[in-house]
Amino acid sequence: ESQNHVQINANIGIIHSLHENSSDYYELAFNLCLNGFDCHLIDLRGHGSSSGREQGGPFEIQEDITLLLEQMSLDNRPCFLLGHGDVSCLVYTLLINNHHLPIAGLALISPILKSKHKKNISKFFQGILENLLH
């Protein structure tokens, strides 16, 4: 009998959009684990298995992401984040404003972030970005 052991080289935190929960990423996380990543999935407040009944606002979501990064960094392996959808702009502004956070890389998937013109961003996200970047 041979056992296949995968050497874990890095941590990756997966952060779902506001219209999802962590279970939407189980298959991705499983495949990443098979390829040397220790995956950390969280349910944002008010989603999936979270204990919160109401969704958190932008600052609460950023607090949760900060705690995730701090937990992932405890084993001294490189930490990466994958953010999806509307939460990507919160991940992005969190990292811009907090250079001390232990992150080695970032992948954000969002149509909001690829917009080249401010007028294409919804007023909601425009307001979040303006408040968080100042």
Side-chain angles (χ1 to χ4, degrees):
E1 269 181 67
S2 69
Q3 292 182 341
N4 294 331
H5 293 282
V6 176
Q7 181 178 342
I8 303 299
N9 298 311
N11 295 303
I12 185 164
I14 301 174
I15 303 156
H16 63 79
S17 75
L18 294 178
H19 306 287
E20 301 173 306
N21 63 62
S22 65
S23 68
D24 295 320
Y25 294 89
Y26 288 169
E27 186 176 347
L28 173 63
F30 177 76
N31 286 307
L32 287 168
C33 288
L34 292 176
N35 288 284
F37 288 96
D38 189 5
C39 290
H40 303 261
L41 292 100
I42 60 170
D43 280 317
L44 299 174
R45 298 173 198 206
H47 295 83
S49 299
S50 71
S51 60
R53 287 186 282 170
E54 294 185 24
Q55 292 183 358
F59 295 107
E60 289 82 13
I61 291 171
Q62 288 184 329
E63 285 175 7
D64 293 344
I65 296 166
T66 300
L67 289 172
L68 173 67
L69 274 170
E70 289 171 353
Q71 284 295 129
M72 289 191 322
S73 69
L74 292 176
D75 64 11
N76 294 318
R77 288 192 296 248
C79 297
F80 297 87
L81 285 179
L82 169 63
H84 181 244
D86 38 20
V87 174
S88 291
C89 68
L90 298 177
V91 174
Y92 183 70
T93 55
L94 171 70
L95 297 174
I96 285 174
N97 292 320
N98 296 280
H99 297 274
H100 67 280
L101 290 174
I103 185 151
L106 178 65
L108 300 174
I109 304 165
S110 175
I112 293 168
L113 293 174
K114 81 175 183 183
S115 174
K116 294 181 182 175
H117 305 287
K118 207 174 203 183
K119 66 181 180 179
N120 293 336
I121 301 174
S122 71
K123 288 182 182 180
F124 174 75
F125 289 109
Q126 181 178 335
I128 290 174
L129 287 171
E130 287 173 359
N131 287 326
L132 294 175
L133 290 173
H134 296 291

